[in-house]
Amino acid sequence: MDHSISVPAYVKARRQQLAEFSTAVTTTGGVRRAFQTLPHHLRRRAMSHNIFKIPPKLRMRAKRELEKSMAPQPGKKGKSRGKPSGDPKDKVRKGMKIKRHKRQPSYIKRDHARRQHQHKWLETHVWHAKRMKMVKMWGYKIAERPWMKGVRAQLNALDHECTIYDASYHACIELSGPQNAILSVLGRMTARDIPGPGNAMYVAGTREGRTVLYHTDTYPTRAIAPMTLLLPPAHNTTQASSPSPSSSSPFSLTVRRQV
């Protein structure tokens, strides 16, 4: 008995079944618009009414769908959904004029300054606002989570590419004054069971310290935020011989808030 088959003859005999299988795999239930066939990361909200946001290969199909949706519905009274009032050319000219005005750098700068009255924007705010849920925290507008429900894109980026996080809202504060006064205040606002800002290795300026900042005399409750502290190199040359925390000579300490 011959157990071999001829692939061309086998495919030709079952061509209709293979076509039905391919259609069933590529087609989902319900009616899909042209832009809904794109991957999630390529979809834009304006694609439902602006065909120029859609890739050229799907633009003609989207144009036919848009014309069909804007056509008058038979058996319904009133104006059609897409019928404009007045001269459409006047509306187009007016819209183009407003759009050109809003694209000017001076207008964009004023508009962004106006919208940052209470909470500041990061340099990447416009990019994040289109793709992520923005929250108001610590006086800034910060991206909390992406709107995209799937996590496959993030996992692929972690494995094969890279991910970037904008942490420019971290605040750096420089404290200047007598050494013993600054270290005394920070000692009351940090943990007492681990090396704190007054430790010799931090006072000497040879290491960067990491700890958690609390409200005064409330440890271990009422934490404010993690922080990083560092003495500048200039302090090493002037205070290296006497790094005692009891010194009252002036020095500066840089504290960076972490979130």
Side-chain angles (χ1 to χ4, degrees):
M1 183 178 180
D2 189 8
H3 294 284
S4 62
I5 62 173
S6 176
V7 176
Y10 182 82
V11 173
K12 184 177 180 180
R14 290 164 176 78
R15 180 168 50 186
Q16 183 178 358
Q17 298 178 4
L18 293 175
E20 294 176 355
F21 176 75
S22 178
T23 303
V25 170
T26 57
T27 305
T28 58
V31 180
R32 301 187 71 184
R33 298 281 297 273
F35 66 90
Q36 291 177 328
T37 60
L38 295 171
H40 283 278
H41 68 280
L42 293 179
R43 298 183 188 180
R44 297 295 180 269
R45 182 172 53 184
M47 287 182 176
S48 60
H49 61 273
N50 189 352
I51 63 174
F52 296 101
K53 298 289 184 179
I54 301 176
K57 63 180 181 180
L58 298 174
R59 196 166 294 169
M60 293 305 299
R61 175 185 167 187
K63 184 178 180 181
R64 291 193 298 268
E65 293 174 352
L66 186 61
E67 291 175 350
K68 184 178 179 181
S69 63
M70 301 294 281
Q73 300 294 330
K76 291 187 178 181
K77 297 181 179 181
K79 298 181 179 180
S80 61
R81 294 167 53 192
K83 188 176 180 180
S85 59
D87 189 1
K89 293 184 179 180
D90 294 339
K91 287 194 172 184
V92 171
R93 295 191 193 100
K94 184 178 179 181
M96 292 177 62
K97 185 177 180 181
I98 295 174
K99 196 170 185 179
R100 284 198 301 267
H101 174 67
K102 289 186 175 182
R103 284 179 175 177
Q104 295 179 2
S106 58
Y107 177 87
I108 295 176
K109 186 176 180 180
R110 292 195 307 270
D111 185 57
H112 286 187
R114 176 184 60 84
R115 298 169 66 181
Q116 298 182 56
H117 180 66
Q118 294 182 346
H119 295 83
K120 295 181 180 180
W121 289 3
L122 305 181
E123 293 292 335
T124 57
H125 173 83
V126 176
W127 189 91
H128 281 97
K130 294 179 180 179
R131 299 166 175 85
M132 301 190 181
K133 166 72 174 177
M134 307 299 292
V135 295
K136 301 175 181 179
M137 299 178 66
W138 307 298
Y140 291 91
K141 281 287 193 70
I142 303 174
E144 182 184 31
R145 55 181 174 82
W147 286 118
M148 187 168 55
K149 296 181 180 179
V151 297
R152 182 178 298 178
Q154 291 88 328
L155 295 177
N156 290 338
L158 287 172
D159 292 339
H160 307 292
E161 299 175 4
C162 67
T163 57
I164 301 176
Y165 179 73
D166 187 357
S168 58
Y169 57 87
H170 288 182
C172 293
I173 304 174
E174 183 176 1
L175 307 178
S176 300
Q179 176 179 339
N180 56 351
I182 293 178
L183 296 180
S184 175
V185 172
L186 291 178
R188 298 174 58 186
M189 301 178 66
T190 55
R192 300 179 180 84
D193 52 355
I194 60 175
N199 193 278
M201 60 181 177
Y202 300 145
V203 175
T206 57
R207 289 190 179 185
E208 181 184 69
R210 296 177 180 270
T211 184
V212 179
L213 194 67
Y214 299 85
H215 288 271
T216 306
D217 297 330
T218 59
Y219 173 78
T221 59
R222 300 187 64 190
I224 299 176
M227 74 170 186
T228 301
L229 54 97
L230 178 67
L231 277 74
H235 179 67
N236 299 346
T237 58
T238 58
Q239 300 292 335
S241 58
S242 58
S244 175
S246 61
S247 173
S248 61
S249 58
F251 85 118
S252 60
L253 177 68
T254 302
V255 178
R256 182 177 61 192
R257 184 189 65 188
Q258 297 179 333
V259 181

